[in-house]
Amino acid sequence: MDENVMQHFRPDEAPFIDAVGGWLQQVADEYRPVLTHFLNPRQVYIATTLAHRADVKVQFSGGHEMAEMQRALFFPDYYEPEAKDFELTLLRVDYPVKFATLHHSQILGTLLGSGIEREILGDILTDGSVWQVVTETSMADYLTGQVDHIGRVKARLVPSDFAALIQPVDEWEAESATLSSLRLDNIVGTGFHLSRHRAKELIEGNHVRVNWTETIKPDYELDVADIVSVRGFGRVRLDEVAGRTKKEKIRVTLAVLKK
């Protein structure tokens, strides 16, 4: 990808940008659709930007309307994508609901512990008692064969129809703010109403992830669609950067999901 493109993104995003460039070139060279693994919201934003720049069509799907993790399908003009093209499978977690409680981190940890990468998995959903996992169809049989416990709870994964998809209980709350910078410690502090010092402590103490990757840099600069997870507090997403005030503060819209 040329330097004119790279200057609009962070240096650490270069490998993903190169991957998107490869997918776009593949569509152009082979004149056929190209399907990716699951992308996080920031990656979806980058993929959308680069596809539009290259005049290549792209659609995303994660199995439900508000999906956070989504697969991208890049395709040439002649192609008309269908739902089946995204190759998604819904798995229900079968466990003794009356006698056990599960948590998102337990389920994710068990699935990653089975030897797969995070990009194979879509959203993990719950309505408070029922748990469901969206995954790539090609890996569904492997996962159902690998999982027999979630933590200490006896459990198994059962293929389910998307007609049975539950309505997640997670509710993001929009919050407008003006910030002096888009530093990670500033976003964490603002999103969870913490002091800058406390936010810095959490980051340097390995309690914070940006787009599912640990970072211990309080001055890490965030951008649109980044998701920050803070252990014990919840998540905050940078939805919009809307210019500056007369005092040079940055206007932003955050989405906050508190535990």
Side-chain angles (χ1 to χ4, degrees):
M1 197 62 68
D2 64 56
E3 292 184 4
N4 289 332
V5 172
M6 292 299 301
Q7 69 181 353
H8 297 291
F9 302 101
R10 294 187 294 252
D12 64 328
E13 293 172 329
F16 179 71
I17 291 168
D18 287 340
V20 175
W23 295 326
L24 296 173
Q25 191 62 51
Q26 193 174 357
V27 172
D29 291 346
E30 302 176 15
Y31 208 51
R32 66 172 180 85
V34 173
L35 180 64
T36 73
H37 292 305
F38 284 96
L39 309 181
N40 63 49
R42 175 63 181 171
Q43 291 172 329
V44 167
Y45 174 81
I46 293 172
T48 302
T49 301
L50 297 182
H52 288 169
R53 180 185 176 93
D55 199 24
V56 173
K57 293 185 177 181
V58 62
Q59 287 187 19
F60 302 91
S61 179
H64 64 107
E65 186 178 351
M66 301 302 292
E68 192 169 275
M69 301 293 290
Q70 301 186 76
R71 301 188 79 175
L73 185 72
F74 299 96
F75 56 95
D77 290 339
Y78 77 89
Y79 198 80
E80 296 184 7
E82 300 179 16
K84 63 182 179 61
D85 292 335
F86 291 93
E87 299 177 14
L88 302 174
T89 292
L90 183 67
L91 301 176
R92 174 175 54 83
V93 181
D94 187 6
Y95 73 106
V97 178
K98 293 183 179 180
F99 306 104
T101 300
L102 297 181
H103 300 283
H104 185 284
S105 58
Q106 291 176 307
I107 297 173
L108 180 59
T110 296
L111 296 175
L112 297 182
S114 70
I116 65 169
E117 298 295 328
R118 180 65 181 90
E119 63 186 8
I120 299 299
L121 299 172
D123 289 357
I124 298 174
L125 309 169
T126 186
D127 62 2
S129 59
V130 175
W131 287 87
Q132 297 175 333
V133 179
V134 182
T135 187
E136 296 183 4
T137 298
S138 62
M139 295 301 296
D141 287 345
Y142 175 81
L143 290 172
T144 56
Q146 287 289 312
V147 175
D148 56 12
H149 283 79
I150 304 289
R152 296 183 178 180
V153 178
K154 189 173 182 179
R156 62 192 183 107
L157 299 177
V158 180
S160 186
D161 194 284
F162 274 99
L165 192 77
I166 59 176
Q167 184 67 34
V169 294
D170 291 350
E171 293 185 3
W172 293 84
E173 295 182 4
E175 182 175 322
S176 297
T178 54
L179 306 175
S180 58
S181 74
L182 298 179
R183 285 172 50 120
L184 178 58
D185 54 0
N186 207 4
I187 298 288
V188 169
T190 301
F192 299 108
H193 305 289
L194 304 172
S195 68
R196 189 80 165 264
H197 177 71
R198 176 60 175 144
K200 185 177 180 181
E201 283 184 334
L202 288 169
I203 296 164
E204 293 178 339
N206 286 314
H207 294 287
V208 176
R209 290 174 177 261
V210 178
N211 300 324
W212 293 270
T213 300
E214 284 187 2
T215 179
I216 56 171
K217 297 180 178 180
D219 62 349
Y220 185 84
E221 196 84 0
L222 297 182
D223 208 333
V224 173
D226 279 331
I227 287 187
V228 180
S229 304
V230 183
R231 194 183 311 159
F233 290 87
R235 293 189 287 172
V236 58
R237 184 178 67 228
L238 179 55
D239 278 353
E240 182 183 22
V241 177
R244 293 180 179 268
T245 68
K246 291 181 179 179
K247 294 184 177 181
E248 287 300 300
K249 294 279 189 176
I250 305 169
R251 293 191 183 94
V252 301
T253 302
L254 305 176
V256 183
L257 180 63
K258 296 179 181 177
K259 279 198 169 183

